[in-house]
Amino acid sequence: MTNKPDLLTLKGSVGIKYFYYLLTQIGLEDNKAFNIAQTAAQTNAFLADGGKKGIKAAKSLLDLEERWYNSVRKTEKPDYDCYSEDIYLAEVWCCWDFYARKYINDLKNIRNVPPLGFKKLIKNYTNIVDLGNGIGMSTAALKQTFPKNIVYGTNLPDTTQWKFNKLLSEEYDYKLIDSLKKLPKDIEFVFASEYFEHFPDPIEHLTDVLTYCNPKILVCANAFKPDSIGHFDNYRHGSEFLTPKEISREFGKFLKENGYNKLKTKLWNQRPSIYLKDGLHLI
């Protein structure tokens, strides 16, 4: 990859072609790469349609989702091996293309975060973290958006997603790590797109994020309610199990109790949410 594309502008068939190219670069056979890319394209079309046809994803992803929820609802051991299935890459691509790419583009728009725009909140040469960064597209896009900053992406080792990240991290110059404990303590900005809902006790994990990252700015887009691979019907909080609506409310309450104030923005539906630590003086 000698010519790096502007990742935030890659969408539709152009983006899918790039996805297919990357799949072949990490060693997948052409037929498998084509099938995964086609699955992503079909699922993106269903997402764009808003489920009007009664279908939200390609069949192979619906089958994987059913496998996940069978493990969550019928056993006490969630089937985390779902994350290691190659076809899951199609879901991860859609999460990037349909959600995270839009969030980062929206953050770049000065009018969405008055008065000076979100980028003015981020100091140069500071650390940025992309939590649970999928195949690394969002992390690479953050590096393109904030070229003077040190950007980290976190992910699970020994997965195909990790292989993707190894490729992209070298090409786009971001750091790939597998544990919050390996991050520096002075994080300027944490980005968490569709991330915390993948933990059975999201507030416990949020506690770890605040402990190990201590970010000045937390940007997150949670989606506790929709069914998806890796999500849960109910979430633990202490000794209780809470509904998605309840855990979302407790999530915001916990952040406020720990000194994070939600910034009022012009982002559609306040997504992603921007939290500033201790009434950050930059605004």
Side-chain angles (χ1 to χ4, degrees):
M1 293 184 292
T2 55
N3 297 319
K4 302 184 186 72
D6 179 355
L7 299 180
L8 291 177
T9 65
L10 286 182
K11 60 181 180 179
S13 61
V14 177
I16 291 296
K17 288 177 182 177
Y18 187 61
F19 180 39
Y20 168 77
Y21 166 75
L22 292 174
L23 287 165
T24 62
Q25 293 303 296
I26 62 169
L28 294 183
E29 296 179 355
D30 285 353
N31 286 342
K32 177 174 278 191
F34 178 80
N35 179 56
I36 294 170
Q38 186 178 50
T39 298
Q42 291 173 347
T43 300
N44 256 353
F46 290 132
L47 288 170
D49 185 56
K52 293 178 182 177
K53 297 176 182 178
I55 306 173
K56 67 175 184 178
K59 185 178 184 304
S60 53
L61 289 180
L62 292 175
D63 289 344
L64 190 61
E65 182 181 297
E66 182 179 10
R67 172 179 150 186
W68 166 260
Y69 277 106
N70 280 336
S71 74
V72 169
R73 294 165 179 166
K74 298 179 181 179
T75 76
E76 295 183 358
K77 188 177 180 181
D79 186 1
Y80 290 111
D81 287 341
C82 288
Y83 291 143
S84 299
E85 298 290 345
D86 287 342
I87 197 63
Y88 182 64
L89 295 171
E91 170 110 342
V92 177
W93 174 266
C94 292
C95 287
W96 145 253
D97 191 28
F98 202 78
Y99 297 108
R101 186 173 63 81
K102 180 182 184 302
Y103 297 150
I104 299 173
N105 267 322
D106 286 349
L107 289 173
K108 287 180 64 177
N109 188 329
I110 293 176
R111 292 173 296 178
N112 284 333
V113 187
L116 301 177
F118 181 78
K119 290 185 72 175
K120 286 292 185 180
L121 296 177
I122 310 300
K123 294 180 180 178
N124 289 335
Y125 311 109
T126 56
N127 298 305
I128 295 173
V129 178
D130 182 13
L131 294 175
N133 73 335
I135 56 176
M137 294 291 287
S138 54
T139 320
L142 285 169
K143 182 62 179 178
Q144 287 187 320
T145 304
F146 301 96
K148 294 183 179 180
N149 295 76
I150 303 167
V151 179
Y152 295 82
T154 71
N155 213 303
L156 299 170
D158 303 319
T159 62
T160 313
Q161 292 182 67
W162 188 266
K163 291 180 183 178
F164 245 101
N165 269 283
K166 290 291 287 184
L167 178 69
L168 289 177
S169 63
E170 293 173 6
E171 185 68 18
Y172 289 92
D173 191 30
Y174 67 83
K175 299 179 184 296
L176 177 62
I177 58 171
D178 61 1
S179 171
L180 294 175
K181 296 178 181 179
K182 296 180 181 179
L183 287 167
K185 296 292 184 181
D186 54 339
I187 303 301
E188 182 84 357
F189 157 39
V190 163
F191 182 72
S193 175
E194 323 289 328
Y195 172 73
F196 285 101
E197 53 270 52
H198 288 266
F199 294 87
D201 190 334
I203 294 178
E204 179 182 65
H205 186 69
L206 174 61
T207 302
D208 290 339
V209 170
L210 299 186
T211 299
Y212 291 110
C213 298
N214 190 30
K216 295 179 181 177
I217 302 169
L218 172 64
V219 175
C220 57
N222 296 333
F224 293 113
K225 186 176 180 179
D227 282 359
S228 188
I229 301 162
H231 292 200
F232 297 85
D233 292 325
N234 294 290
Y235 291 87
R236 284 202 308 268
H237 180 42
S239 60
E240 299 180 297
F241 278 90
L242 303 182
T243 66
K245 183 177 181 179
E246 289 169 336
I247 197 67
S248 180
R249 184 168 57 245
E250 289 299 318
F251 190 95
K253 179 181 176 182
F254 183 85
L255 281 170
K256 188 172 183 179
E257 290 172 347
N258 283 272
Y260 286 85
N261 298 306
K262 189 174 181 179
L263 181 64
K264 187 175 181 180
T265 69
K266 293 185 178 180
L267 292 162
W268 182 82
N269 205 26
Q270 295 294 297
R271 286 180 68 82
S273 297
I274 302 174
Y275 296 91
L276 308 179
K277 186 178 181 183
D278 299 326
L280 195 62
H281 69 278
L282 295 176
I283 58 174

